[in-house]
Amino acid sequence: MTDQDELFVRGEGDSWFHRNSAYLNAPVRVTDDRVMKVVELARLQPRRAVEIGASNGYRLDALAKRYGCSGLALEPSALAVVQGRRTFPGVRFVRAVASELPIATGVTFDLVIVYFVLHWVGRSRLLQAVAEIDRLVQAGGHLVIGDFHPPAPERVPYHHRPGENIWTYKQDYAALFHATAFYDTEMFAAFDVGAPTSATGALAGASTRGAVTLLRKRTRSSGEEGT
Ligand SMILES: C[S@@+](CC[C@H](N)C(=O)[O-])C[C@H]1O[C@@H](n2cnc3c(N)ncnc32)[C@H](O)[C@@H]1O
């Protein structure tokens, strides 16, 4: 685990949850949710959904209620997991970071969600996180990636822990998956995340452009075609 991953396991994930729990438990969180909207617009019918950095699992609960799918929440914050288990008993929770997912090889999901999480993954483990996420997506299944989406990659200090060498890394994360040629983009929407908030950890002056991308995993990668 990197220092930055460990920081979220050891307490920063709890701090984020604590700061945002009222918002996370408000009904508007689901009715205004861009991921729910993408799933609806793409007419997906998920059967097995997993969210990495799922917080208290509110989105998986909403998906389960709307589509009858199962929901697995992977989240480093103990507080979010305890509250989520109590509030959303239909969602299964496992404490984990994106770069080390405790899911057996070969277990896959038809809907994988990673929303505003990768900007906090330590850079030395970013590609490991990408590989871990990729292995959970079943062939022909969908991956929803949302995050900051500045015109060029940005690294800004995480303002809740000033002077501690902790960063928010803003870049186009869907591009990492797309570059493998394992995925096709089915939907893309850019938006402004708004003024810096405790939820985003963004700094004034830094980019507040966000985006959500719906990717579909190919049943064969383009490199395999014709072989
Ligand atoms: C900005 S919140 C987003 C929560 C949720 N995805 C949503 O859309 O409401 C980021 C979440 O990622 C979690 N997180 C932080 N570092 C992580 C890591 N390395 N792997 C997985 N989750 C992480 C935090 O604890 C927090 O719950």
Side-chain angles (χ1 to χ4, degrees):
M1 224 184 273
T2 57
D3 290 350
Q4 191 143 328
D5 284 359
E6 203 162 320
L7 185 93
F8 277 89
V9 172
R10 294 229 170 133
E12 197 50 36
D14 287 353
S15 303
W16 185 89
F17 179 72
H18 192 64
R19 284 194 301 273
N20 294 286
S21 65
Y23 172 62
L24 287 165
N25 285 296
V28 67
R29 191 71 193 91
V30 169
T31 49
D32 285 1
D33 185 44
R34 290 189 176 91
V35 177
M36 295 297 289
K37 187 58 77 185
V38 163
V39 171
E40 186 185 318
L41 287 173
R43 297 175 191 269
L44 304 186
Q45 293 292 330
R47 303 309 313 150
R48 287 165 53 77
V50 63
E51 180 165 0
I52 295 138
S55 189
N56 69 348
Y58 69 90
R59 181 178 290 124
L60 289 163
D61 176 71
L63 285 166
K65 285 179 177 145
R66 193 170 301 175
Y67 299 102
C69 60
S70 64
L72 173 62
L74 303 172
E75 165 59 46
S77 162
L79 205 60
V81 165
V82 165
Q83 198 263 335
R85 282 192 178 125
R86 215 172 35 229
T87 314
F88 306 119
V91 175
R92 197 158 70 84
F93 289 84
V94 177
R95 280 189 77 200
V97 289
S99 56
E100 290 177 48
L101 297 175
I103 306 294
T105 307
V107 173
T108 58
F109 299 81
D110 61 348
L111 179 61
V112 177
I113 299 163
V114 192
Y115 201 66
F116 282 84
V117 173
L118 290 172
H119 60 260
W120 283 332
V121 170
R123 294 302 89 169
S124 61
R125 300 297 285 276
L126 176 62
L127 292 183
Q128 195 158 331
V130 168
E132 285 290 84
I133 293 163
D134 169 62
R135 83 178 169 89
L136 298 195
V137 188
Q138 81 178 39
H142 287 87
L143 170 61
V144 180
I145 293 276
D147 220 302
F148 296 102
H149 198 279
E154 282 181 8
R155 184 183 82 152
V156 298
Y158 181 62
H159 77 250
H160 295 293
R161 304 283 289 258
E164 286 192 49
N165 200 28
I166 301 158
W167 304 93
T168 296
Y169 300 93
K170 302 179 177 186
Q171 65 185 75
D172 177 2
Y173 289 105
L176 300 180
F177 292 88
H178 207 254
T180 60
F182 300 169
Y183 291 88
D184 294 305
T185 299
E186 289 197 338
M187 206 178 282
F188 172 85
F191 49 86
D192 196 281
V193 297
T197 64
S198 62
T200 62
L203 274 190
S207 174
T208 57
R209 186 175 190 257
V212 58
T213 307
L214 177 67
L215 298 161
R216 183 169 183 273
K217 191 171 187 175
R218 295 179 181 175
T219 45
R220 292 193 305 177
S221 75
S222 57
E224 291 173 320
E225 275 155 24
T227 60

